[in-house]
Structures are given as structure tokens and as C-alpha cells.
Amino acid sequence: MISTRILSSGKVRLFAVCAFFFTLFSISPSLVAQHHTSDSAASSTVESDSQIPGVEHVENSHGEEKFDPTAAIMEHIADSHYWHLWGHTSLPLPVIIITDKGMEVFSSSKFHHGEDAYQGTHYTYKLIEDKLFVVDQQGNIDKEASSRIYDFSITKNVASLWIAVAILILIFTSVSSSYKKRQGKAPKGLQSVIEPFIMFVRDDIAIPNIGYKYAKFMPLLLTMFFFIWINNLLGLIPIFPGGANVTGNIFLTFVLSFIVLLVVNLNGNKYYWKHILLPDVPWWLYPIMIPVELIGVISKPFALMIRLYANISAGHIIILSLISLIFIFKSLAIAPVSVAFVLFMNVLELLVAFLQAFIFTMLTALFIGTAVDEHHH
């Protein structure tokens, strides 16, 4: 069977390598976000030492804390240096900083949920809106020093991504081993669960869209399909090790889409590039058609990036918004309605989790197919 050859051959190693690179490239989002938001955060009113990132409460005239649904929702869908477990209990994650004076490694527990600054070896650091900054003796942000630090911390999204990759490697090394031991026999156990999905990717995604050259791209398509699907499912689990919004992170979807961009264009044949650079139109239309075709090269993976990010983030926001209704109205009477809608949305999100993995993989195969398709007269 095809699945036997795929999982018992050296392609399973390529599968693991693809998963590894997804992990490697996805560590960079915290670094990019760190410097992208430094100026805006530094210019805002964030000098209060008691500010807790992502949670903002406003006191009313009676001294009671007013629930802020926007801050609560953004805290749960955003990346963080902590992994919330329950109540006020969180799992601190490693902070890895490279500065102009050297590298520092310590636990995020030093910040006490963003309430305190931490005196490191080289600078004093503080978490402000869950972003790392250098502060002076008075607790004010040192913009110049902050611009010289690079945050490679293991955040919640990165840790969740590693968990997903570990699950992928365990599943497919186990299934590959079973295929080697039971070659020619009917699938059994985990094999019988995974094989229908492998056949689905092969028969309904790869072959119809790529054609006879599909086998070369099967490791990539399988990796993307299961990687996105497992991360989507982990995001729906409200407790550890779930709850991270990995595929709803724009930086991760950018990395996946950039990989698609490279694979499609590096494998494009002469007919693919001729259609882009020398389209079959009158020569006087070239100044219009060539830029349009080049924009299409970028817009296709860009659409993949936005579609996955928007759909997964929207699902998390809707579920959290429904839960927030209980605290907004401060009434248990709304709880049955809110919980009923949350259960319905969770079931719907199970379908969306699979559907988004399928759509991303299918469009990837479609783009690859257009690049490797032979010319027909």
C-alpha cells in the first residue's frame, strides 16, 4: 500500500525534518513582536509597577473591580511568558535574552506576573503588556537599551508548538514502525486510525491537484495537514497542555505560507515561469499583465496566511466572548445560555479545526500543481 511505502521509507524522516523547521522558524515571532511593539508600548502610559499584562480591571464608584472582557479575551488569545493553569496559578516559562553585553537566561517567575522588575546581570528587565523592556531605577522604559535586546524566550505558543511536534513525531514514528513490522498485513491499532487520513491526503488532495508527481510532495502535505490539525485541536482544550492560540498567531501562519511560497516557486517549471513573465497576451499588455502575475505569486500564500489566522482567532474570540457574558451581566441566570452556546461553538470548532487543515493543505497542493504542471497543446 502507498501508506506503507510513505511511512516505512526515508520520507518519514523528511516529515520529522519539516516539523522541526516549523518549530525553528516559529521561535522568531516573539523576537519580531518584541521590536515591532517596543516604540508603541514605550510611548503609552505603562509606568505602573502593578500592571499585569493582558488583564485590566476598572474600579467603579463602589470600589468593585469592573470586568473588562476585551482585556481578558486578548490575554487568552495572545502569546505570553506564562502558561495559565487555573485561578491565579501559572506555569513560568524560560526567558532567553541576547543583549549587547551578553546572553541572560532566567525564569519568567522573576517578574511575579509583571508586577515586579527583575535585576539581571546586565540590565533591569520588566514585562509590560507581556513584552520585555529594559527599565531604569525609577521603573521608566529605557528605549535605547530596549532596542538592543533580542527576546528568544520560550513563550506559551512556542512551548505548545513543541508539544504538537512531539505528538507528531511520536505518532508517526510509532505508525512507521508498525508498518515495517506488519508489512503486507491489514492495519492495526494506531495504524488503522491514521491510515484513512493519509489516504485522504493522497487521494483527495495530492493526486487531484498535483498529478503523477504527487509522491515528491507527500511528506510536506502530510506534515502541514497534521501539524495544523493537531495545533487546532490543542487550542480547543481549555486546560494544560492546551489553550494556546498557535495557529491563530499571524507569525506562525506567515512561516507556513512562506514555506509554501518557496516550495511552489522553487519547483516551478519553465511553463510556470513563462506564464508569469511572458504571458500569452499581446506584447503591449505586458506592462499590465506581468505585474499582475507577480502580485499573484505573493497574494496566493498571503491569502493562506490570513485565512488560517483569521478563522482560528475568530473561533477563540467568539467562545471567550460567550463565556464573558456571565461576568458582564453578573448573573447566574445567563450561565445556562452562555454554556449552551459555548458547547455548540466548541463542537463547531472541532469541524473548523479539521476544515482549516484541509483547506490549507488543499490550496498548497493546488499551487504546487500549477507550478509543476506540464505544458499541453
Side-chain angles (χ1 to χ4, degrees):
M1 298 175 70
I2 288 293
S3 57
T4 305
R5 293 198 296 271
I6 291 173
L7 291 176
S8 62
S9 68
K11 291 184 178 179
V12 72
R13 290 189 292 271
L14 181 57
F15 183 104
V17 170
C18 289
F20 170 76
F21 275 105
F22 286 168
T23 307
L24 181 63
F25 284 116
S26 296
I27 296 177
S28 59
S30 60
L31 171 63
V32 177
Q34 162 76 24
H35 289 274
H36 179 71
T37 59
S38 60
D39 291 339
S40 59
S43 60
S44 62
T45 56
V46 292
E47 284 81 6
S48 174
D49 288 345
S50 61
Q51 183 176 7
I52 301 176
V55 180
E56 185 177 346
H57 298 280
V58 181
E59 291 189 2
N60 59 22
S61 58
H62 299 287
E64 298 177 354
E65 290 184 342
K66 183 180 178 181
F67 177 71
D68 186 352
T70 302
I73 291 171
M74 293 308 298
E75 178 199 9
H76 282 83
I77 67 172
D79 202 2
S80 175
H81 286 81
Y82 300 89
W83 198 321
H84 181 262
L85 298 178
W86 58 81
H88 296 286
T89 304
S90 298
L91 179 67
L93 298 170
V95 177
I96 305 172
I97 309 170
I98 296 179
T99 72
D100 56 333
K101 298 180 181 180
M103 185 173 75
E104 293 197 49
V105 180
F106 53 91
S107 172
S108 60
S109 61
K110 301 290 185 181
F111 296 117
H112 297 96
H113 298 279
E115 295 180 2
D116 299 331
Y118 170 68
Q119 178 61 57
T121 305
H122 307 299
Y123 295 106
T124 300
Y125 307 100
K126 193 174 191 305
L127 278 181
I128 300 174
E129 297 180 359
D130 228 318
K131 299 295 184 292
L132 200 65
F133 294 94
V134 175
V135 295
D136 57 22
Q137 296 288 341
Q138 290 74 36
N140 299 317
I141 294 175
D142 187 336
K143 295 183 181 179
E144 184 179 354
S146 296
S147 66
R148 296 196 298 267
I149 67 171
Y150 297 89
D151 187 3
F152 288 93
S153 302
I154 309 302
T155 60
K156 181 174 70 173
N157 282 349
V158 175
S160 180
L161 189 147
W162 285 358
I163 292 173
V165 170
I167 293 172
L168 280 173
I169 293 175
L170 287 174
I171 289 175
F172 282 94
T173 51
S174 173
V175 173
S176 175
S177 176
S178 298
Y179 272 119
K180 291 177 181 178
K181 294 176 181 177
R182 298 175 49 80
Q183 192 168 6
K185 298 181 181 180
K188 183 180 179 181
L190 190 58
Q191 281 180 273
S192 60
V193 176
I194 297 298
E195 182 168 313
F197 296 105
I198 297 173
M199 296 297 98
F200 171 74
V201 173
R202 186 200 69 174
D203 297 336
D204 295 319
I205 297 178
I207 294 178
N209 293 294
I210 300 177
Y212 70 94
K213 296 182 179 179
Y214 77 94
K216 176 182 178 182
F217 303 99
M218 277 296 289
L220 175 68
L221 297 178
L222 286 172
T223 303
M224 284 192 165
F225 177 79
F226 284 101
F227 177 81
I228 294 172
W229 191 20
I230 288 178
N231 275 296
N232 289 348
L233 293 177
L234 284 176
L236 295 176
I237 301 174
I239 59 175
F240 182 85
N245 187 30
V246 177
T247 43
N249 187 304
I250 191 68
F251 294 103
L252 179 79
T253 59
F254 168 78
V255 171
L256 293 175
S257 301
F258 184 72
I259 292 172
V260 173
L261 176 69
L262 292 179
V263 171
V264 169
N265 291 284
L266 291 178
N267 286 279
N269 56 29
K270 61 181 181 180
Y271 304 110
Y272 170 76
W273 288 109
K274 180 181 181 300
H275 177 75
I276 293 174
L277 302 177
L278 295 171
D280 293 328
V281 296
W283 64 268
W284 49 271
L285 285 176
Y286 280 6
I288 298 175
M289 292 302 299
I290 292 176
V292 169
E293 293 291 344
L294 290 174
I295 292 173
V297 171
I298 304 297
S299 63
K300 291 174 183 177
F302 179 79
L304 287 180
M305 174 184 72
I306 297 300
R307 180 183 289 106
L308 181 59
Y309 157 73
N311 279 280
I312 300 303
S313 292
H316 284 268
I317 291 172
I318 291 172
I319 291 173
L320 291 169
S321 298
L322 291 171
I323 295 174
S324 297
L325 291 176
I326 302 172
F327 302 96
I328 293 172
F329 289 99
K330 297 181 180 180
S331 172
L332 288 176
I334 199 68
V337 178
S338 179
V339 171
F341 275 105
V342 168
L343 289 175
F344 171 77
M345 283 302 303
N346 266 306
V347 173
L348 185 61
E349 284 298 305
L350 289 175
L351 175 61
V352 172
F354 174 83
L355 192 62
Q356 289 305 315
F358 163 67
I359 292 174
F360 195 101
T361 310
M362 183 192 68
L363 291 177
T364 299
L366 179 63
F367 299 155
I368 293 173
T370 59
V372 302
D373 188 33
E374 298 294 340
H375 181 69
H376 299 286
H377 294 283

